[in-house]
Amino acid sequence: MILSDRLLMGPGPSNPYPEVTAALGEPVIGHLDPEFLALLDETNERLRTVWQTDNSLTFPISATGSAGMEAAFVNFIRPGDPVVVGVNGVFGGRMCDVASRAGADVIRVDEEWGRAIDPQRLLEAHSNPAMIAVVHAETSTGVRNDVAPLGDAKGDALLLVDCVTSLGGIPVLIDDWNVDIAYSGTQKCLGVPPGLSPITVGDRAMEHLVPTPQSWYLDLNMIKEYVIGEGARAYHHTAPISMLYALHAGLEVVLTEGLEETWDRHRICGEALHTGLPELGFQLWAQEGHRLPELTTVTLPEGLDDVQGRQLLLERYGIEVGGGLGPVAGKVWRIGCMGHTARLDNVERLLNALEQLTNESR
Ligand code: PLP
């Protein structure tokens, strides 16, 4: 049994809300029990509010965020379909890989890591793409990519957005932005452990649903009969009951606080980090105007060692932060402030610890 009491300020997972931890211990009932199906329906309704959508096919896939990514491609892409993918970090790159395995003709639009992708470049990358795909909040860089301009000008293309690190932390307006398909994960700003991938699919995307996708487990034609079916729900797989209790509870916390208030809490913590870290000699790395409040990337002050610094934070102060990936491995830290973790006293605890560490490393 792992019984550590860490403050999780890495790129994810965040600390779960206490109500979520309590829900995980509730007695397990059957996944076709009417009471459980009612809880699932209520969870989906709560997800619609958090996604800001009326999409009927809105539910948590029974696997982590990557399953949402895979489901979004295998269910809507046919071999040879031109798919434009924005890449300014690890997860855009992963989208290219998943799309090409689904048979897409991937048109990759690269941007320097740490900078946001100009939506116009995505819109102009192909004359008639089947899909335009982008990561809203790039967890590897702390950059927010703009989505609304893509929805305004996408034409006939389906717009797919990865919201793993944005849902519940910053505004995600699926219907207003004309997003056709979006997926997320539970472990970041929703304050629930990893294990589910909320997904939402609009009616226009449903018209493009592949009848027999190459994945059986992620086939939305079948899953939808279980998750949103009318009357008797068809068995597709055994739902992870306890994780669904947890998500149901996490969404209740978010909606009781208020979605806007939750976004504000993340924004205020982000601003406190963006002010406090440079005062200690850290430099904000992500492009100004596109910095995520829930994930701050910084370069380190002179004298502070990447690996040793993170190890000391963990061992001495019980605080986890993340290291850099890809071209900035060893050069930046990724500091998460998401979900239940996103509170000013946690920001203060981190800044105090960093002040001691930076003083010692001088
Ligand atoms: N997309 C983004 C932006 C992510 O940050 C992550 C995970 O951190 C994923 C996809 C993959 O999600 P998971 O690790 O839950 O499978």
Side-chain angles (χ1 to χ4, degrees):
M1 204 49 192
I2 304 166
L3 292 169
S4 66
D5 183 19
R6 297 268 194 252
L7 174 56
L8 298 177
M9 297 194 80
S14 59
N15 291 101
Y17 291 110
E19 293 86 340
V20 166
T21 307
L24 281 164
E26 291 290 323
V28 172
I29 59 175
H31 73 116
L32 290 169
D33 184 315
E35 268 188 48
F36 178 73
L37 291 172
L39 178 133
L40 180 57
D41 289 344
E42 196 168 48
T43 303
N44 295 343
E45 198 46 47
R46 289 176 183 179
L47 280 174
R48 285 184 194 98
T49 307
V50 171
W51 282 116
Q52 295 284 283
T53 184
D54 291 331
N55 288 343
S56 54
L57 192 61
T58 301
F59 73 98
I61 291 183
S62 304
T64 64
S66 306
M69 186 187 287
E70 188 136 2
F73 286 108
V74 297
N75 281 283
F76 301 101
I77 291 305
R78 290 158 178 79
D81 277 353
V83 173
V84 173
V85 184
V87 183
N88 56 345
V90 167
F91 295 99
R94 263 196 210 173
M95 273 184 155
C96 293
D97 189 13
V98 176
S100 70
R101 289 185 197 206
D105 173 14
V106 175
I107 300 110
R108 190 179 155 123
V109 176
D110 278 283
E111 181 51 89
E112 194 185 324
W113 285 38
R115 299 194 62 77
I117 304 170
D118 176 356
Q120 208 51 37
R121 290 188 57 217
L122 293 168
L123 292 165
E124 289 169 3
H126 190 275
S127 56
N128 189 23
M131 183 185 272
I132 300 173
V134 73
V135 178
H136 188 205
E138 234 319 332
T139 325
S140 57
T141 62
V143 165
R144 176 184 50 75
N145 286 312
D146 288 330
V147 174
L150 299 173
D152 287 343
K154 68 188 175 182
D156 290 336
L158 293 178
L159 176 58
L160 165 63
V161 184
D162 175 318
C163 299
V164 171
T165 298
S166 57
L167 189 67
I170 55 174
V172 173
L173 311 177
I174 294 299
D175 289 357
D176 283 2
W177 293 347
N178 262 319
V179 175
D180 297 288
I181 309 156
Y183 58 86
S184 187
T186 41
Q187 70 269 29
K188 314 266 187 187
C189 302
L190 296 177
V192 175
L196 293 173
S197 178
I199 188 168
T200 185
V201 181
D203 291 344
R204 216 169 65 87
M206 287 307 276
E207 289 166 18
H208 294 259
L209 191 57
V210 174
T212 45
Q214 58 177 236
S215 167
W216 185 93
Y217 186 66
L218 297 174
D219 182 349
L220 293 178
N221 298 280
M222 287 194 279
I223 300 178
K224 75 180 191 331
E225 298 308 321
Y226 171 64
V227 295
I228 57 163
E230 296 288 324
R233 313 275 272 262
Y235 164 70
H236 176 264
H237 65 286
T238 310
I241 318 283
S242 303
M243 268 310 296
L244 281 151
Y245 292 164
L247 178 59
H248 182 261
L251 293 169
E252 182 163 321
V253 173
V254 168
L255 296 177
T256 303
E257 179 178 7
L259 194 50
E260 302 226 346
E261 287 75 6
T262 310
W263 296 337
D264 272 352
R265 180 160 53 80
H266 284 83
R267 182 181 51 73
I268 290 165
C269 287
E271 284 170 3
L273 282 167
H274 296 176
T275 307
L277 287 162
E279 287 170 3
L280 299 174
F282 293 84
Q283 296 298 320
L284 301 176
W285 181 61
Q287 184 183 339
E288 201 173 351
H290 290 267
R291 289 177 185 145
L292 295 169
E294 68 274 37
L295 191 84
T296 301
T297 44
V298 283
T299 55
L300 309 189
E302 196 70 30
L304 183 64
D305 180 71
D306 166 38
V307 175
Q308 197 198 17
R310 282 186 292 124
Q311 194 178 339
L312 277 173
L313 264 185
L314 194 63
E315 287 170 3
R316 201 195 283 172
Y317 304 94
I319 304 175
E320 182 210 281
V321 302
L325 296 175
V328 284
K331 298 191 185 116
V332 303
W333 280 1
R334 294 179 300 147
I335 300 174
C337 200
M338 312 169 182
H340 182 58
T341 306
R343 311 198 174 265
L344 283 175
D345 47 356
N346 290 336
V347 171
E348 207 175 311
R349 182 169 149 192
L350 174 72
L351 291 175
N352 287 339
L354 289 177
E355 186 174 10
Q356 290 179 24
L357 284 189
T358 47
N359 283 340
E360 282 170 26
S361 66
R362 280 207 187 101

